[in-house]
Amino acid sequence: MLCGGVRAAVFGRTSILSFPPPRSSSSPLKSFYFPATTRLYAAQSQPSIKMSASNPPEFIEHIVLFKVKQDVDPSKATAMLNNLSSLTSLDSVLHLTAGPLLRSRSSSLTFTHMLHSRYASKSDLDAYSAHPDHVAVVTNYVKPIIDDNMAVDWVASGAGAVKIPPGSAMRVTFLKLKEGSGEDERNEVLGVIGGIKEKFPGIEQLSFGENFSPRRAKGFSIASIAVFKGVNELEGLDAESEAANKQKDLVRDKVDGVVVLDYAVPSSQTASL
């Protein structure tokens, strides 16, 4: 199952929902925090929302990350994004956007593109996944040009508007809990993430939860999206690094892996890799 993405940007300095250098050199978070950040350019797609004025109390988040092969012709990456974006016409889709990552900050998982979409229910997500149009796009335009992918799904409760305006900046974070972690550890991490919005007023929307589709999640079990008015507001978190580090310290000893992506929701339907 595949979903719409947006143009990403990860910033090199300390920021909320990404982790600072661990105290121990043996920690798996060290390699995450000091990668050689790669800037990636690709086609963007226009976000599309089908939504009434009212916002549902909860909805389903669906994110897929793609690693496009290095030798792929740019036109094929553009075709992939355009065809993924066309799936917004399916009745089950509330919101869908697909695009390139501007920067990726994971030393072990080097993705290039992303799809983000939202649904009213798990059954609507299933309907999207099984729809012949979706299957055709995956078969003809996605699988032939990618080396790897990763998908995470969760229920977002009380997150607010389904629509994310073009030009907004978003931070996506995936966490892998340490082996043997139980319900207490999971709830503690979710509690810390849930309290971030009140501590950082620049966050306009916070969606987070536990992944319910483990098959392609590579062991990552907790996910979040923080939405900002724009890239400037996201970069403004650098000035709040001390407060951010205090929040990270609360969960550092429970986390065994982190993926963090920043991106800006595209405002136009352009195409070049």
Side-chain angles (χ1 to χ4, degrees):
M1 132 189 14
L2 298 165
C3 72
V6 280
R7 199 174 75 195
V10 178
F11 299 90
R13 292 167 289 178
T14 304
S15 51
I16 189 63
L17 295 180
S18 63
F19 283 67
R23 297 183 179 88
S24 170
S25 61
S26 61
S27 168
L29 292 182
K30 184 170 184 179
S31 62
F32 166 74
Y33 194 75
F34 296 104
T37 305
T38 303
R39 190 179 180 91
L40 304 152
Y41 297 89
Q44 302 169 29
S45 66
Q46 175 68 36
S48 182
I49 308 292
K50 293 185 302 194
M51 181 74 189
S52 66
S54 61
N55 296 314
E58 67 178 33
F59 48 78
I60 304 300
E61 298 277 19
H62 177 57
I63 288 182
V64 181
L65 302 176
F66 310 98
K67 181 179 181 180
V68 171
K69 297 174 183 178
Q70 288 187 350
D71 59 351
V72 163
D73 187 283
S75 65
K76 293 185 177 181
T78 297
M80 178 187 77
L81 296 175
N82 289 342
N83 279 275
L84 286 172
S85 298
S86 72
L87 298 175
T88 192
S89 63
L90 301 184
D91 290 341
S92 60
V93 177
L94 293 177
H95 168 75
L96 188 151
T97 177
L101 299 179
L102 184 62
R103 289 180 181 174
S104 179
R105 191 145 180 207
S106 172
S107 58
S108 58
L109 298 172
T110 53
F111 296 103
T112 60
H113 295 73
M114 175 177 162
L115 185 146
H116 173 226
S117 54
R118 288 173 165 177
Y119 306 83
S121 65
K122 291 181 181 180
S123 60
D124 281 351
L125 173 58
D126 291 340
Y128 160 82
S129 179
H131 196 283
D133 289 356
H134 172 265
V135 174
V137 170
V138 172
T139 301
N140 298 324
Y141 295 97
V142 179
K143 287 184 176 180
I145 70 168
I146 66 169
D147 280 329
D148 194 14
N149 68 10
M150 173 180 173
V152 177
D153 307 312
W154 71 96
V155 179
S157 298
V162 171
K163 177 177 180 178
I164 300 175
S168 300
M170 299 172 59
R171 171 159 295 169
V172 177
T173 304
F174 300 145
L175 301 179
K176 180 186 293 185
L177 298 183
K178 288 187 174 178
E179 188 174 354
S181 296
E183 185 175 352
D184 289 345
E185 290 81 5
R186 179 198 65 197
N187 289 340
E188 187 173 345
V189 172
L190 288 170
V192 171
I193 296 173
I196 286 173
K197 190 173 185 294
E198 14 180 274
K199 293 178 172 59
F200 299 90
I203 299 176
E204 298 199 337
Q205 181 185 112
L206 181 65
S207 164
F208 66 97
E210 185 176 13
N211 175 47
F212 61 78
S213 302
R215 185 171 60 89
R216 290 191 295 143
K218 299 185 184 295
F220 290 83
S221 59
I222 292 178
S224 67
I225 296 174
V227 180
F228 300 80
K229 184 177 180 180
V231 173
N232 288 339
E233 286 74 15
L234 177 59
E235 289 179 311
L237 288 174
D238 294 336
E240 304 180 73
S241 59
E242 182 177 352
N245 288 337
K246 288 181 180 179
Q247 297 303 303
K248 299 163 198 171
D249 286 341
L250 295 175
V251 301
R252 189 189 308 277
D253 62 344
K254 299 170 180 62
V255 174
D256 202 28
V258 183
V259 170
V260 176
L261 305 168
D262 291 355
Y263 51 84
V265 180
S267 58
S268 62
Q269 196 169 13
T270 60
S272 67
L273 181 62

